[in-house]
Amino acid sequence: MAERDTSFLFSGTSFNRKKFAAVFTRFKEKKGNDVSPRTEPKLVEDATPAFQEDEGVKTHYVDKKRKRKAVDSDPVEGFSVFKSSKSQKANEGDQQAENAIMLEKKEYYRQLEGDAIFRKKHNIHVSGSNVPSPLRSFAELKSRFSSKSYILRNLAELGFEEPTPIQRQAIPVLLSGRECFACAPTGSGKTFAFVCPILMKLKRASKDGVRAVILCPTRELAAQTARECKKLAKGRKFYIKLMTKQLVKGADFSKLCCDILISTPFRVQFAIRKKKLDLSKVEFLILDESDKLFELGLVKQVDSVVKACSNPSILRSLFSATLPDTVEELARTIMHDAIRVIIGRKNSASESIKQKLVFVGSEEGKLLALRQSFAESLNPPVLVFVQNKERAKELYNEVKFDDIRAGVIHADLSQVQREDAVNNFRAGKTWVLIATDVIARGMDFKGVNCVVNYDFPDSAAAYIHRIGRSGRAGRSGEAVTLYTEADVPYLRNIANVMAASGCEVPPWIMSLPKLKWKRHRPQREAISTKPVGEDE
Ligand SMILES: Nc1ncnc2c1ncn2[C@@H]1O[C@H](COP(=O)(O)OP(=O)(O)OP(=O)(O)O)[C@@H](O)[C@H]1O
């Protein structure tokens, strides 16, 4: 099955080669590894699109030579089937040995076939050489990878019965010492897909330097990821550190021992430059929400961190729910023997979200529509996204005296105010949280029933991440996108995402001309119901 054309998603967004050039240059500086231009075998999907979705039996036949090489070097699977050369065997003339090899070969093919069927069942698509078998269950962490019992205990305590599809494939990839390039829908468990193998690989607490770095685009997401790491590490003395403002200002990092350091790129960059933070021993570098990290504004900071993580045997991995072709293309050329793991359809919204478009005519119509929907069917918790912090303040000022408990979060608030806004929403003290895109990525609010795009998102990727705050971990959710006349030219891009995840879209929208999406942030009228001229 050929992969769908999803290029529409990112047309016109801010990714481009030039912008990423700096960070990729750093990636290339991996000492001791000849990664120029790439050392991994050419991916089968490049050569034979017919087999691009699943690495399995078919791909083995396509490129036996590559597979042989890969199998011999596989530290996990360890098949010996191709180790004896034909001529050696002929010389030995040993029929018994020949039979044994044939049996082993058969077993090997059976396993490949089993893996392919299993991946298909779980919508896992992989490419790259010698992809390790997916996890059938968490128990395999112990049987295949000798995990310590605390991991299984903590997973059970968290109530996780089965690995999610991204965990099934990304965990064995990282545990096999391979770099991973992963794209899986929002709310599908990507965090544990990298935290679990890192903890398993680190084994015991650090006595020397920083061993793993996880970069997240926002402080809120970094704080959440640190909490998740601690949940999985419970019972072990791992030193898991969130780089807070106080920490980065106060500490001297020259002697820092830390197993996992979680931060925004800005704070790590600051600590490297001003506080002697040494990252030369880092064994794992994870770029979470990687496409966001590569956007303008963050890419230079990411670049500094990548450069500082100079350990030649470092494993770097990228995770996100959206993976623009430009980022993927470039990352593939610089990552070392990386395995690409895509769950479901690339760059698609979670299928558990019911998505709706609502025409409101004008800016005025939006407030009426929101108030009406709150009055008729408010089913908290509800997240409302607006275009910028000014609009967040305006909308909050409008609804704060209504009969609903609302909170607001945007970049003008202090760290404490931002934390309070998130905590109150998590605790159910506020029912509605008005937000800018600052919490659109990665934030895991359990049970958000509805996401309202009060202002139209500025890209298809932004849309996918915003609505992905609901419908997480298999739960259902709803997403309502209000649109005005000014948004109509961009409707088709959102409608494509909706249609790809099985939602109904009016045919007239699908017949709108395809538009190259320039960042859609129109000047919008202020949100206010006050008569013109009336003061506060
Ligand atoms: N194996 C599992 N079984 C059940 N729930 C899980 C499992 N793994 C993770 N979860 C839960 O799923 C939710 C979403 O996980 P996570 O935040 O890692 O998603 P994500 O894929 O990173 O989403 P996003 O793209 O929005 O960042 C979390 O509440 C997490 O605890």
Side-chain angles (χ1 to χ4, degrees):
M1 191 171 50
E3 204 160 58
R4 273 184 164 221
D5 173 19
T6 48
S7 53
F8 61 84
L9 277 172
F10 299 95
S11 52
T13 55
S14 54
F15 298 102
N16 65 43
R17 267 167 204 278
K18 245 187 189 170
K19 198 190 304 169
F20 304 133
V23 78
F24 288 118
T25 310
R26 300 304 180 207
F27 270 74
K28 281 182 183 171
E29 285 171 4
K30 194 174 182 182
K31 282 179 211 153
N33 275 320
D34 174 20
V35 290
S36 170
R38 60 190 281 160
T39 54
E40 71 189 82
K42 188 152 174 60
L43 298 176
V44 171
E45 72 173 346
D46 294 342
T48 53
F51 303 135
Q52 75 183 11
E53 292 220 323
D54 258 323
E55 165 96 352
V57 176
K58 286 180 195 163
T59 56
H60 180 86
Y61 291 123
V62 171
D63 190 352
K64 276 186 187 167
K65 213 171 162 191
R66 170 173 75 70
K67 184 61 75 183
R68 282 176 194 207
K69 194 172 161 235
V71 167
D72 277 352
S73 63
D74 180 2
V76 178
E77 312 299 328
F79 294 108
S80 59
V81 63
F82 298 117
K83 278 180 181 157
S84 342
S85 74
K86 229 176 180 179
S87 60
Q88 272 176 325
K89 277 180 265 153
N91 290 342
E92 286 162 11
D94 188 341
Q95 189 59 41
Q96 255 185 346
E98 193 83 36
N99 288 347
I101 287 167
M102 283 309 290
L103 268 176
E104 228 179 315
K105 243 184 198 175
K106 259 191 184 169
E107 182 51 39
Y108 174 68
Y109 289 138
R110 203 173 300 136
Q111 167 151 7
L112 283 185
E113 194 170 3
D115 287 352
I117 292 167
F118 188 81
R119 287 193 185 112
K120 195 161 186 184
K121 183 174 158 204
H122 292 279
N123 240 325
I124 302 170
H125 310 291
V126 294
S127 49
S129 67
N130 195 24
V131 181
S133 296
L135 284 182
R136 267 47 174 196
S137 67
F138 280 131
E140 280 191 14
L141 292 176
K142 199 168 181 72
S143 60
R144 261 174 79 190
F145 298 104
S146 314
S147 82
K148 297 268 188 268
S149 327
Y150 81 93
I151 292 264
L152 294 185
R153 197 174 53 238
N154 291 339
L155 287 168
E157 249 177 52
L158 286 163
F160 299 170
E161 287 166 10
E162 293 289 327
T164 63
I166 186 63
Q167 293 164 356
R168 288 185 191 278
Q169 191 59 73
I171 292 174
V173 166
L174 289 170
L175 286 175
S176 309
R178 301 285 296 280
E179 296 191 336
C180 185
F181 198 61
C183 180
T186 51
S188 65
K190 290 188 286 296
T191 314
F192 282 125
F194 55 77
V195 171
C196 176
I198 290 178
L199 288 174
M200 283 174 65
K201 281 281 198 177
L202 292 180
K203 289 197 176 104
R204 59 190 66 83
S206 168
K207 293 195 177 65
D208 189 19
V210 180
R211 300 172 70 197
V213 173
I214 301 173
L215 289 186
C216 308
T218 62
R219 299 173 217 163
E220 283 75 13
L221 183 55
Q224 178 183 289
T225 305
R227 274 198 304 276
E228 296 292 288
C229 285
K230 285 176 187 167
K231 282 184 198 165
L232 199 58
K234 201 175 124 196
R236 301 288 286 189
K237 281 193 182 135
F238 283 116
Y239 190 32
I240 294 164
K241 203 87 207 128
L242 172 68
M243 188 79 93
T244 59
K245 196 174 180 180
Q246 294 88 320
L247 183 74
V248 85
K249 274 192 172 165
D252 170 9
F253 288 97
S254 56
K255 302 249 168 1
L256 181 70
C257 284
C258 168
D259 296 295
I260 307 181
L261 182 67
I262 303 132
S263 179
T264 58
F266 175 76
R267 286 184 177 165
V268 192
Q269 183 199 35
F270 182 84
I272 294 166
R273 286 192 183 160
K274 309 271 173 160
K275 301 283 176 175
K276 301 184 190 137
L277 176 63
D278 176 12
L279 297 182
S280 63
K281 296 199 173 82
V282 170
E283 296 160 47
F284 296 92
L285 174 63
I286 304 289
L287 306 187
D288 192 16
E289 308 292 346
S290 44
D291 51 334
K292 185 76 192 170
L293 290 176
F294 287 161
E295 277 185 17
L296 206 65
L298 289 174
V299 70
K300 274 194 181 162
Q301 299 153 21
V302 174
D303 181 36
S304 308
V305 181
V306 171
K307 187 183 169 201
C309 294
S310 56
N311 178 355
S313 49
I314 189 171
L315 285 183
R316 291 167 296 211
S317 286
L318 277 61
F319 283 78
S320 185
T322 46
L323 188 59
D325 291 343
T326 38
V327 171
E328 180 174 0
E329 206 183 295
L330 284 161
R332 275 214 212 163
T333 62
I334 47 84
M335 289 173 80
H336 179 245
D337 201 16
I339 292 173
R340 173 187 188 252
V341 181
I342 309 282
I343 307 300
R345 228 172 255 157
K346 198 177 133 192
N347 303 326
S348 63
S350 165
E351 289 186 5
S352 56
I353 308 166
K354 213 170 108 197
Q355 303 165 57
K356 232 168 48 179
L357 290 164
V358 176
F359 181 61
V360 287
S362 63
E363 286 298 324
E364 250 172 53
K366 284 185 182 175
L367 199 51
L368 290 174
L370 190 73
R371 283 207 161 108
Q372 195 178 339
S373 86
F374 282 174
E376 284 171 4
S377 58
L378 178 66
N379 184 14
V382 174
L383 257 173
V384 181
F385 282 104
V386 290
Q387 192 168 299
N388 54 39
K389 55 194 179 192
E390 285 72 34
R391 291 179 66 75
K393 290 175 205 169
E394 287 167 7
L395 185 58
Y396 178 65
N397 283 336
E398 279 296 324
V399 301
K400 72 179 173 190
F401 299 118
D402 291 0
D403 206 11
I404 51 164
R405 294 188 211 154
V408 65
I409 184 164
H410 51 75
D412 267 0
L413 298 179
S414 69
Q415 179 72 39
V416 174
Q417 287 171 316
R418 276 165 74 157
E419 276 166 20
D420 283 351
V422 167
N423 292 340
N424 289 340
F425 189 61
R426 277 196 209 281
K429 289 184 188 162
T430 48
W431 302 339
V432 174
L433 183 59
I434 297 162
T436 57
D437 282 332
V438 72
I439 55 156
R441 287 212 178 221
M443 294 303 288
D444 187 48
F445 301 110
K446 289 216 168 52
V448 168
N449 284 316
C450 183
V451 170
V452 179
N453 286 318
Y454 188 88
D455 289 336
F456 209 73
D458 69 5
S459 69
Y463 175 76
I464 290 169
H465 288 279
R466 278 182 177 187
I467 70 167
R469 296 318 98 206
S470 77
R472 300 176 70 74
R475 291 185 188 87
S476 60
E478 204 187 341
V480 179
T481 302
L482 309 181
Y483 69 95
T484 63
E485 291 286 357
D487 303 315
V488 169
Y490 300 90
L491 269 182
R492 170 84 189 265
N493 302 51
I494 299 300
N496 282 337
V497 176
M498 291 174 65
S501 47
C503 295
E504 241 177 76
V505 183
W508 70 267
I509 296 181
M510 295 308 278
S511 61
L512 286 171
K514 277 188 187 171
L515 190 81
K516 215 165 189 258
W517 194 322
K518 300 251 163 36
R519 222 172 170 80
H520 176 53
R521 290 196 166 210
Q523 184 70 38
R524 297 185 189 272
E525 270 169 47
I527 305 169
S528 173
T529 44
K530 281 196 201 101
V532 181
E534 192 179 302
D535 287 333
E536 282 280 307

